[in-house]
């Protein structure tokens, strides 16, 4: 199989444990793939304003990024929007009611920040441990406090995605039932974290949009991922490769499994299947 496009998840796949940089080996593998004529596209749950320093507009890639789990496709240089799927007020109001009844912190991503109430912020501070990076590196820079998320949701407010940053083990099943009953797409993006988007938004959909833009057949793509939100992309790609740190259900959805991300699993996969 000739690979012409690498669809690359970031957190837990390509980024180092600092969640900001690539390893030298991965940088070298991506550069060699580009020189071979292979396009590289980050396909991530992150929003444009949360792209890490490693994803540079001048990087020798395809110049595109799929963001918010397929909610948006943008150009890396300047961030111009090519397509978007956004959540509206009607879909979000019952979600807000349900998460309030379960006492789950919730964040709405729109514009240049993550919007949450003071109560939601305080709830995350109480949890702290597993949310330390999110609190100190994300909310500290991009958190936006609002008194009332319902009032914040004007009819034309485009919400890229919703985060439930911490779902206690005892509420997993009840949370899943709540989300399954709503017209939304949702994924476990971590052991206790959920990301929610428009029903037409998925990493697989984003991959297909990029393939159309770059005139690449889906069968000529390799996807790299590690989390539940990567499963559609791993199945859609011609070759889906899960990292060794991925949960069993993610590994089962892939065609191959590499070593964990912090052992250069992404670089190894590119070397083995592309180079």
């Amino acid at each position: 199989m000739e690979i012409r496009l690498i669809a690359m998840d970031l957190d837990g796949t390509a980024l180092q444990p600092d969640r900001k940089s690539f390893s030298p080996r991965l940088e070298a593998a991506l550069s060699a793939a580009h020189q071979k004529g292979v396009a590289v596209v980050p396909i991530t749950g992150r929003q444009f304003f949360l792209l890490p320093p490693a994803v540079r507009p001048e990087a020798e890639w395809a110049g595109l990024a799929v963001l918010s789990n397929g909610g948006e496709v943008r150009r890396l240089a300047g961030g111009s929007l090519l397509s978007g799927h956004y959540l509206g007020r009607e879909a979000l109001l019952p979600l807000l009611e349900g998460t309030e009844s379960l006492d789950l912190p919730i964040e709405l991503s729109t514009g240049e920040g993550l919007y949450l109430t003071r109560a939601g912020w305080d709830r995350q501070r109480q949890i702290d441990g597993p949310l330390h990076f999110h609190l100190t590196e994300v909310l500290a820079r991009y958190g936006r406090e609002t008194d009332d998320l319902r009032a914040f949701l004007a009819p034309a407010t485009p919400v890229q995605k919703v985060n439930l940053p911490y779902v206690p083990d005892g509420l997993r099943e009840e949370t899943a039932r709540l989300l399954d009953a709503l017209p939304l797409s949702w994924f476990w993006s971590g052991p206790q974290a959920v990301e929610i988007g428009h029903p037409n938004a998925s990493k697989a959909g984003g991959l297909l949009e990029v393939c159309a833009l770059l005139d690449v057949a889906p069968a000529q793509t390799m996807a790299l991922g590690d989390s539940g939100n990567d499963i559609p992309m791993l199945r859609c790609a011609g070759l889906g490769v899960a990292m060794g740190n991925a949960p069993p259900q993610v590994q089962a959805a892939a065609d191959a499994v590499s070593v964990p991300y912090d052992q250069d699993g992404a670089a190894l996969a590119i070397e083995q299947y592309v180079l």
Side-chain angles (χ1 to χ4, degrees), residues 86-98 108 149-150 153-159 162 181-184 198-199:
Y86 300 109
L87 291 163
R89 180 180 174 85
E90 290 186 4
L92 290 172
L93 287 178
L95 174 63
L96 292 176
E97 292 174 3
L108 308 184
L149 287 173
R150 289 179 182 80
L153 283 175
T157 302
V159 174
V162 177
L182 299 175
L184 306 163
H198 188 278

Side-chain angles (χ1 to χ4, degrees), residues 99-117:
T99 54
E100 282 179 1
S101 69
L102 297 176
D103 191 27
L104 296 176
I106 184 170
E107 303 164 352
L108 308 184
S109 172
T110 183
E112 295 297 315
L114 299 171
Y115 289 81
L116 67 165
T117 62

